[in-house]
């Protein structure tokens, strides 16, 4: 069985914990409880039949512990970098986090997914989908998804896309 360690990164309040909670337990909470750091384990059978044991590290989003953040990045196999479509600042933060990951890993060949969460808040949209699609394709060279942790839209797909991307990166090594 494959062991995969995933880290969820993104500004505070973009919905990292909500995405993880929706994926792990099918539960959405409207309260905002800032996370320090939490680790979850999940078994997932991919459509190809392979079982994966995934460890998901839900990070706090604040960088009180840069050394810890670097260690988390070093030891991770894949990254979910989340922003919120109603928050342009969080999109900028996502770019910074992606740069940090590339620097720490020392390569751009990293399993990574760009996620624009809170797609249900389209009336308050500050990040255009086109802009994100282009950044993901041309800069990050990774899959992109808009999700709603609230309505469980595309949440499972994040993990599928990431595991697929992990296999592609492995084959490129
Ligand atoms: P984190 O700091 O990135 O872990 O963010 P949380 O998961 O704690 O979510 C922050 C706030 O945004 C909470 O009040 C959530 O209920 C809310 N939230 C998270 N995901 C969504 C979503 O997809 N849609 C909407 N409308 N709200 C969301
Ligand atoms: Mg959180």
């Amino acid at each position: 069985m494959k062991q995969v360690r995933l880290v969820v990164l993104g500004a505070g309040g973009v919905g990292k914990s909500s995405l993880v909670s929706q994926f792990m337990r099918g539960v959405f909470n409207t309260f905002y409880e800032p996370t320090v750091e939490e680790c979850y384990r999940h078994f997932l059978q991919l459509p190809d039949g392979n079982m994966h044991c995934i460890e998901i590290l839900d990070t706090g989003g604040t960088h009180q512990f840069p050394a810890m953040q670097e260690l988390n990045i070093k030891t991770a196999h894949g990254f979910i970098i989340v922003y919120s479509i109603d928050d342009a600042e969080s999109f900028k933060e996502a770019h910074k986090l992606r740069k940090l990951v590339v620097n720490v890993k020392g390569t751009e060949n990293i399993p990574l997914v760009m996620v624009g969460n809170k797609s249900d808040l389209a009336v308050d949209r500050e990040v255009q989908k086109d802009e994100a699609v282009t950044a993901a394709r041309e800069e990050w060279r990774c899959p992109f998804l808009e999700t709603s942790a609230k309505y469980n839209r595309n949440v499972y797909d994040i993990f599928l896309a990431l595991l697929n991307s992990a296999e592609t990166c492995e084959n490129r090594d």
Side-chain angles (χ1 to χ4, degrees), residues 13-166:
V14 296
K16 299 178 295 299
S17 300
S18 301
L19 288 167
V20 172
S21 160
Q22 186 60 267
F23 176 67
M24 298 286 300
R25 298 180 281 132
V27 167
F28 178 75
N29 192 341
T30 49
F31 295 111
Y32 179 37
E33 292 175 59
T35 318
V36 177
E37 190 171 286
E38 267 172 281
C39 192
Y40 301 88
R41 183 165 289 167
H42 194 79
F43 293 93
L44 186 70
Q45 185 164 27
L46 288 191
D48 66 10
N50 286 327
M51 270 307 266
H52 285 71
C53 171
I54 43 182
E55 253 179 43
I56 305 169
L57 185 70
D58 178 19
T59 62
T62 51
H63 310 308
Q64 297 152 302
F65 313 111
M68 195 163 87
Q69 194 183 36
E70 205 173 301
L71 185 67
N72 286 339
I73 293 172
K74 265 190 191 139
T75 54
H77 300 115
F79 299 86
I80 298 166
I81 301 186
V82 187
Y83 67 90
S84 177
I85 69 152
D86 69 339
D87 180 1
E89 243 348 276
S90 74
F91 190 54
K92 281 191 198 152
E93 179 71 18
H95 280 82
K96 285 189 200 149
L97 287 164
R98 190 256 175 184
K99 282 208 180 99
L100 179 70
V101 169
V102 170
N103 285 340
V104 171
K105 287 291 202 188
T107 169
E108 293 207 344
N109 187 22
I110 307 161
L112 194 144
V113 178
M114 182 197 283
V115 174
N117 189 43
K118 307 198 188 182
S119 62
D120 56 289
L121 298 182
V123 282
D124 301 318
R125 182 185 282 279
E126 288 185 1
V127 182
Q128 295 311 313
K129 194 169 178 179
D130 287 358
E131 193 188 344
V133 166
T134 306
R137 192 179 50 218
E138 282 162 25
E139 258 178 80
W140 295 31
R141 276 175 246 111
C142 75
F144 165 72
L145 288 164
E146 280 196 352
T147 61
S148 170
K150 185 170 183 177
Y151 296 108
N152 199 9
R153 272 188 224 140
N154 282 343
V155 177
Y156 179 72
D157 304 70
I158 300 173
F159 295 87
L160 270 191
L162 192 52
L163 293 174
N164 283 330
S165 158

